[in-house]
Amino acid sequence: MSQSHPIVVQKYGGSSVADVPMLLSVAKRVVATRAAGHRVVVVVSAMGNTTNELLGLARQVSPGPGRRELDMLISVGERITMALLSMAVSDLGVPAVSFTGSQSGIITDENHSAARVIEVRPQRIQQALDDDKVVIVAGFQGVSRSREVTTLGRGGSDTTAVALAAALGAAWCEICSDVDGVYSADPRKVPQARHLDRLSFEEALALFRAGSKVLNAEATAFAAHHGIVLAAVKTEGATRSTRIQPAWPELPSRVAAVTVDAQLELVRPGPDGIDPLLPFLDENQVPVRSLRCDGAIVDRRDFHHRASVTWPAGVTSTPVAVATAAGASCGRLPLLRRGSAALTAAGFTLLGAEADGDRLAWILEPGREDEAELLLHRVLIEQG
Ligand code: ADP
Ligand code: ASP
Ligand code: MG
């Protein structure tokens, strides 16, 4: 296979490789992509629930495990998948080789459990492609300049895929999962959710930064920056997908999708205000989702060292849910009012509301999140 054959990066999420029969059918899909004339780089997640199980083991051993060791532990999940998939592809008669994040040249900062990719040096991958191999990479991980294994935050295999697509000049990047694209709400929670054929990068970023788990926000930002078209596709039996790419001139103002994230905490400053809280958040590497003048919204998903952080005197931290509506230029007052009125009428307590650019957001007391998603979908999309 020559260098004129386009490179395709395919990422398979945990639900697509949950067991051996699924892994074997992914191997067939990879081989079929190659047979269609592509050079293929595959990025894999940990099988099924493996990452959560590894985190559970750590919690059984220690109430506040060190972040370095946690990364050593949870980076293992993806390595299991990469080796097994490489064996399966080879057995189908196609030469394959697996690489860890470090071997793939994914260089990150030192921020364990939520590291940022700062450089990709994909020489080994390039060499293996030149040797006519399918390359299988363990997602979700890299190596820091001090040679420590790092992980990229939950859902971070998407970021690995996009970073490699950019570094290799791939024709496109497929994010393969158990759903045939992005919908106007989580289809598991909102039966009326509509399939979206296309999303602009801006809309996608507003949705994924708000915690919608179908795609990783960091990965989307990387794709937007490098102009890489993302396709969200279903691994098995899909007839449609969602393309995420630059905005089309005719893209109308709209609410494209809603999501509610319940894995958050609102950290409010003490009597001295926000200024002393900021260095504390920074020095303790607290995963801050957004900063507000009245506090910080913190993401509990990547806050594995939560138990070892003691808030300064006067600082309070309360669990919250944030409901978000995302879409081209939707951050307008009339829509914010419509959402607020519907939530209040349904008995939700609003702790805050925001509107800007491609986003509307409501901070809610935790509980009844699925109901909030259904309600906002109804008033902002079905009746919109
Ligand atoms: P993977 O394990 O392949 O990374 P994820 O579980 O991270 O897959 O993402 C796919 C899941 O995202 C779907 O099963 C779906 O329930 C959920 N999801 C949440 N919001 C949406 C949405 N707006 N559109 C599609 N899927 C969504
Ligand atoms: N296995 C990691 C997680 O569960 C990374 C990923 O799936 O993208 O978050
Ligand atoms: Mg995912």
Side-chain angles (χ1 to χ4, degrees):
M1 191 165 275
S2 82
Q3 297 200 352
S4 63
H5 289 92
I7 296 176
V8 174
V9 176
Q10 293 180 331
K11 177 255 165 175
Y12 293 95
S15 52
S16 299
V17 288
D19 56 28
V20 168
M22 295 179 92
L23 195 99
L24 294 175
S25 79
V26 163
K28 285 191 195 139
R29 193 174 186 277
V30 169
V31 168
T33 311
R34 182 179 146 106
H38 300 109
R39 289 181 291 159
V40 191
V41 174
V42 181
V43 174
V44 287
S45 291
M47 294 171 76
N49 205 27
T50 303
T51 308
N52 288 336
E53 286 163 8
L54 292 171
L55 285 167
L57 277 178
R59 271 193 298 273
Q60 285 177 48
V61 169
S62 162
R67 304 175 67 201
R68 176 189 184 278
E69 302 308 330
L70 266 177
D71 274 359
M72 293 297 270
L73 178 72
I74 60 178
S75 58
V76 168
E78 273 66 15
R79 294 185 183 204
I80 295 172
T81 323
M82 77 174 189
L84 293 175
L85 186 62
S86 181
M87 294 172 197
V89 170
S90 298
D91 282 357
L92 293 173
V94 172
V97 61
S98 68
F99 292 132
T100 65
S102 163
Q103 291 172 319
S104 305
I106 303 205
I107 318 292
T108 73
D109 64 16
E110 312 279 336
N111 188 16
H112 284 290
S113 79
R116 292 273 165 103
V117 177
I118 50 181
E119 196 188 340
V120 181
R121 298 187 200 145
Q123 286 85 348
R124 284 194 76 175
I125 296 182
Q126 198 69 62
Q127 183 59 54
L129 288 173
D130 293 348
D131 294 343
D132 220 13
K133 292 181 176 155
V134 165
V135 178
I136 298 165
V137 176
F140 176 55
Q141 58 191 273
V143 66
S144 71
R145 293 213 194 275
S146 54
R147 302 203 172 174
E148 296 291 2
V149 172
T150 52
T151 62
L152 310 182
R154 297 309 302 265
S157 298
D158 296 354
T159 314
T160 308
V162 179
L164 287 178
L168 295 165
W172 75 89
C173 180
E174 270 181 16
I175 306 292
C176 309
S177 75
D178 60 353
V179 62
D180 60 355
V182 182
Y183 283 69
S184 56
D186 186 342
R188 289 180 201 271
K189 298 177 185 159
V190 180
Q192 300 81 359
R194 301 170 185 172
H195 183 267
L196 298 162
D197 293 330
R198 59 189 203 179
L199 270 178
S200 72
F201 280 128
E202 291 79 8
E203 290 179 314
L205 270 174
L207 181 64
F208 304 145
R209 279 195 177 129
S212 172
K213 82 180 267 216
V214 57
L215 239 136
N216 179 287
E218 190 72 22
T220 310
F222 216 99
H225 186 71
H226 293 275
I228 294 164
V229 173
L230 287 177
V233 310
K234 191 170 181 196
T235 301
E236 289 285 349
T239 53
R240 58 188 182 177
S241 63
T242 300
R243 282 172 72 89
I244 302 169
Q245 56 187 69
W248 292 261
E250 79 277 16
L251 195 67
S253 166
R254 63 172 180 173
V255 175
V258 296
T259 188
V260 182
D261 190 344
Q263 302 267 8
L264 303 171
E265 281 177 41
L266 175 59
V267 180
R268 290 198 182 93
D272 299 333
I274 190 91
D275 277 354
L277 181 61
L278 297 180
F280 178 87
L281 294 171
D282 194 20
E283 279 150 29
N284 287 278
Q285 298 190 318
V286 175
V288 172
R289 165 79 62 85
S290 64
L291 280 171
R292 311 153 47 85
C293 49
D294 64 340
I297 303 271
V298 168
D299 190 337
R300 268 185 288 168
R301 244 175 243 103
D302 297 322
F303 201 2
H304 309 308
H305 59 300
R306 174 79 179 78
S308 59
V309 171
T310 311
W311 301 111
V315 170
T316 57
S317 168
T318 31
V320 289
V322 175
T324 302
S329 312
C330 74
R332 293 177 289 117
L333 201 50
L335 289 178
L336 189 71
R337 285 183 58 193
R338 196 190 301 170
S340 302
L343 288 165
T344 311
F348 286 91
T349 305
L350 298 187
L351 304 174
E354 297 171 6
D356 58 52
D358 302 311
R359 188 181 77 97
L360 302 156
W362 296 267
I363 304 181
L364 309 172
E365 281 179 351
R368 298 171 64 204
E369 288 86 16
D370 292 359
E371 209 186 314
E373 190 162 333
L374 274 164
L375 179 66
L376 288 172
H377 190 270
R378 191 165 70 237
V379 297
L380 296 175
I381 295 180
E382 291 160 52
Q383 297 167 359

